[in-house]
Amino acid sequence: MVAATKPTSNPPGAEASYAARWQRTLVLALPFGVLAFVAGWALDGPSGQATTFDALVYPVMAIVLLALHVVLAVRRDALTFVVLTIVGGTSVFLLSKLVFLLFLDMGSAQVQAELTESFFWVPIIYLLSFVLPHVRLGRQISVAFTASILLVTLAYAFAPDLPARSLGVVSALIQLNLANGVLLALTQAFIGFKEAYVRTQARVETAERFASMDPLTELPNRFALQGRLTSALAEAQASGERLGVLFIDVDGFKVLNDTIGHEAGDELLRQLADRLRRVVRKDDFIARISGDEFVLLVAGLDEPQVAAFVAQKLQADLVAPFHVLDQAFRVTVSIGISVFPDDAADPEGLLRHADSAMYRVKRSGKNGVQQYRGETDAHLERQRALERDLRSALQGDQMSLVYQPLHDLHTGEARKFEALLRWSHPTWGHVSPTEFVPLAEQSGQIVQLGTWVLNQACKQVRTWQRTTHDRIQVCVNVSPLQFAQPSFYDSVVAALENHGLMPEALELELTENIVLHGVDHVASTLDRLRRLGVGLAIDDFGTGYSSLAYLRDLPIDTIKIDRSFVKDLGSPRKGPQFALALVEAITGIARYLDLSVVAEGIESRAQVELLKSLGCHLGQGFYFAQPMTPELVELYLRPGDPLRTDERAALFN
Ligand code: C2E
Ligand code: MG
Ligand code: MG
């Protein structure tokens, strides 16, 4: 299949199959014409009807028709030539015979019989003029023929010196002209229908072509690729051969496009597509699937490695510069490869794998070729898919919040709840925030996501306050990028106002890394938040920024000791002494700076006892409760709540 060829202005389609059908019909019909002339020639003499004209012209006509038959049977593209010759030749034959009979062979008693005999063939001229691909030409020929017969008739009827004029012949000629008139009218109507049909068909074909074609480069588009990939896979499956999918991405195209302008960028892409089209083999399939991404399908691979050779050859072919705006541009591409059946057996899998292999090329410096590598790329692929799907996750109601209580280690009360984001992905199921929050951070989507969390948490805590009349506080995690937005302060104020929440009911959990984003800006935003009345906590304390001085300089209320230290407290192998010393140091600093200390990740009663004795104020962890849905939190907040075990109740009494 030569799908990569440029579509021409005259696409093969209905017109071609229509011509083929006519060709077959004529090949079958022409021998009858030959026979008619041979029979006429052979029988005219014995039957006493012979004229000099027939004796000379019939064999010529038979030979011409026979020759045309042979031409038509041998040459597929000879239809128009043959039809034109038949129509032209028959017109000349009939007109000459008419002139001969009426003006030269005067006195022949056979005129009428001869007229009838030969003029059987008149409809052929009209019919065949309809077959001609250029409708206007067909129309002109049939009009010219009708007009000529009429002129000859008029000449016969009105010529002054025509002694042998017979009324019978005039009557036959009148009927011949009337029959011609009817045939002409019908032919014109049919030609009109054909014209309309051809136009509609051409429109349909153009529409179909554009639906599956990228208009910029005139290469097949993503839609066409899907169709082709599916059928190529079926063929590969049937033949047991390999199919290579090459994902080609132009390096740095976005920057180039912005630098040279979009029109020049388009021109570059057009030239690139032309070059790709020229260098791929006839049986390969190349498509442009988006901006600067192309996919090449290579069928019939003996070894998976052959695909890499093809890719390298492609790269070599792109080395020569492209000329746009009188400048030379060198373009490199990153190519990722996946092979059926080695890497995947379905179209989506093959494309995804080739794409992730390409992504690996990009990461390792671009301008290279990489074959899909099972597990390494599967991880990358998941990340890319998650990053892509994050965009629609909020609209699709896939995000929700759960809440985990923070307990006062002395009174046992749970007054604070930390809001934790949950993503229920339609195909991957539950995705942990430790996986998607960093991705959202990288792509910048965390800003939108974080604002949603802030609003959702404020709304929720306001609802609990109304139903329980407790002074519940909600803790919301804030990512460094979200915090760095100039509009962050305003978004906090807006969330509080939107849900009618007192600022004291909100605590923001920031990581130590936030300090890295420029202390001045951080300090002023924190000051404003503090003046507003919002609580500020440092999350995962001890894992990030090493300077402790910021604790003194920044308006922090709470430190949350990272759960890794809490875990180490009870683990002899991990050196509990260090964890112990660290927690003691933190509580010492906190006491000095009048900060509240939360221990994260408490999983046992022993940890509670120890942390309490070390001076921690609050504790959070599975020992108290797992993160809960808002409905469970309402149950949890009820006095005498069954979710709090007797053991835990005893601890706090
Ligand atoms: P984090 O803020 O330190 O949240 C506490 C994490 O510890 C939660 O994990 C929680 O389920 C887990 N955890 C609580 N108690 C225990 C325990 O006893 N044992 C153990 N092993 N784990 C415990 P989660 O929900 O998976 O969240 C992970 C991290 O994702 C969070 O750590 C936070 O950094 C981030 N995150 C979660 N939600 C958001 C959010 O809305 N915005 C931002 N920026 N980050 C979020
Ligand atoms: Mg947190
Ligand atoms: Mg934490």
Side-chain angles (χ1 to χ4, degrees), residues 194-271:
K194 179 185 165 181
E195 243 171 349
Y197 170 77
V198 168
R199 261 202 307 269
T200 324
Q201 205 61 19
R203 264 201 296 269
V204 170
E205 279 177 16
T206 313
E208 278 174 0
R209 208 152 42 91
F210 275 94
S212 60
M213 192 190 83
D214 158 44
L216 177 70
T217 60
E218 298 191 353
L219 283 179
N221 61 13
R222 181 184 283 275
F223 175 71
L225 172 72
Q226 270 160 359
R228 179 66 189 140
L229 185 53
T230 310
S231 59
L233 264 181
E235 281 165 29
Q237 242 149 4
S239 65
E241 285 179 325
R242 289 191 160 85
L243 174 76
V245 177
L246 277 67
F247 203 107
I248 307 160
D249 189 290
V250 182
D251 295 331
F253 182 75
K254 283 176 189 66
V255 177
L256 188 70
N257 201 27
D258 290 343
T259 323
I260 63 176
H262 289 208
E263 269 178 38
D266 282 356
E267 176 54 27
L268 188 68
L269 281 175
R270 258 192 298 268
Q271 290 188 21

Side-chain angles (χ1 to χ4, degrees), residues 523-558:
S524 74
T525 311
L526 290 179
D527 276 336
R528 290 173 75 197
L529 286 165
R530 181 66 171 293
R531 278 201 300 277
L532 186 68
V534 169
L536 299 168
I538 296 291
D539 202 356
D540 306 337
F541 189 80
T543 58
Y545 197 59
S546 54
S547 163
L548 293 180
Y550 75 89
L551 281 182
R552 179 199 57 204
D553 301 334
L554 297 176
I556 307 292
D557 309 289
T558 304

Side-chain angles (χ1 to χ4, degrees), residues 394 421 445-456 476-479 482 488:
L394 268 184
L421 196 49
Q445 295 174 79
I446 193 70
V447 177
Q448 195 198 357
L449 211 54
T451 311
W452 180 83
V453 172
L454 195 61
N455 276 280
Q456 197 65 18
V476 172
N477 292 287
V478 176
S479 97
Q482 187 188 355
F488 177 67

Side-chain angles (χ1 to χ4, degrees), residues 21 74 84 132 187 268 319 391 394 414 416 424 428 432 444 454 496 534 605 614 629:
R21 248 180 290 154
V74 178
L84 264 179
L132 288 170
T187 311
L268 188 68
V319 165
R391 275 176 230 137
L394 268 184
K416 284 188 184 183
S424 170
W428 305 91
S432 163
L454 195 61
L496 292 170
V534 169
R605 181 177 176 155
L614 289 171
T629 59

Side-chain angles (χ1 to χ4, degrees), residues 237-482:
Q237 242 149 4
S239 65
E241 285 179 325
R242 289 191 160 85
L243 174 76
V245 177
L246 277 67
F247 203 107
I248 307 160
D249 189 290
V250 182
D251 295 331
F253 182 75
K254 283 176 189 66
V255 177
L256 188 70
N257 201 27
D258 290 343
T259 323
I260 63 176
H262 289 208
E263 269 178 38
D266 282 356
E267 176 54 27
L268 188 68
L269 281 175
R270 258 192 298 268
Q271 290 188 21
L272 184 81
D274 277 343
R275 185 127 11 128
L276 289 173
R277 199 176 359 232
R278 269 201 309 273
V279 298
V280 303
R281 285 182 322 172
K282 180 164 99 354
D283 293 336
D284 297 342
F285 180 94
I286 180 129
R288 176 176 179 238
I289 59 165
S290 70
D292 58 347
E293 292 176 334
F294 299 83
V295 169
L296 173 65
L297 304 184
V298 189
L301 297 177
D302 299 329
E303 294 288 328
Q305 292 80 355
V306 180
F309 289 130
V310 175
Q312 275 151 6
K313 188 181 164 299
L314 213 75
Q315 283 194 308
D317 287 318
L318 294 180
V319 165
F322 292 88
H323 296 278
V324 178
L325 297 175
D326 296 330
Q327 281 185 58
F329 292 95
R330 289 193 189 279
V331 168
T332 62
V333 291
S334 300
I335 305 180
I337 302 171
S338 68
V339 174
F340 166 84
D342 309 64
D343 301 324
D346 61 307
E348 294 75 30
L350 281 167
L351 277 176
R352 208 175 48 240
H353 290 348
D355 174 60
S356 58
M358 184 280 291
Y359 194 57
R360 195 148 37 79
V361 181
K362 293 275 183 198
R363 283 197 164 182
S364 57
K366 306 178 179 167
N367 189 19
V369 176
Q370 294 275 356
Q371 205 123 8
Y372 175 70
R373 264 194 243 145
E375 286 187 1
T376 329
D377 286 358
H379 174 66
L380 270 180
E381 230 161 64
R382 180 175 157 105
Q383 288 200 336
R384 292 201 83 189
L386 289 179
E387 198 181 308
R388 190 192 54 225
D389 296 346
L390 258 175
R391 275 176 230 137
S392 51
L394 268 184
Q395 280 88 10
D397 282 344
Q398 295 164 19
M399 292 289 179
S400 62
L401 290 181
V402 289
Y403 298 86
Q404 191 179 29
L406 279 71
H407 283 261
D408 187 314
L409 291 182
H410 299 278
T411 67
E413 265 181 316
R415 283 271 164 77
K416 284 188 184 183
F417 284 83
E418 178 175 4
L420 294 163
L421 196 49
R422 292 291 174 264
W423 181 10
S424 170
H425 188 281
T427 44
W428 305 91
H430 168 75
V431 184
S432 163
T434 51
E435 187 175 10
F436 72 80
V437 166
L439 292 176
E441 178 95 22
Q442 270 167 33
S443 65
Q445 295 174 79
I446 193 70
V447 177
Q448 195 198 357
L449 211 54
T451 311
W452 180 83
V453 172
L454 195 61
N455 276 280
Q456 197 65 18
C458 288
K459 185 174 162 190
Q460 187 57 65
V461 76
R462 187 73 194 102
T463 314
W464 288 332
Q465 285 181 346
R466 283 205 187 98
T467 50
T468 64
H469 306 289
D470 274 350
R471 285 177 47 242
I472 303 161
Q473 204 179 15
V474 73
C475 310
V476 172
N477 292 287
V478 176
S479 97
L481 187 70
Q482 187 188 355

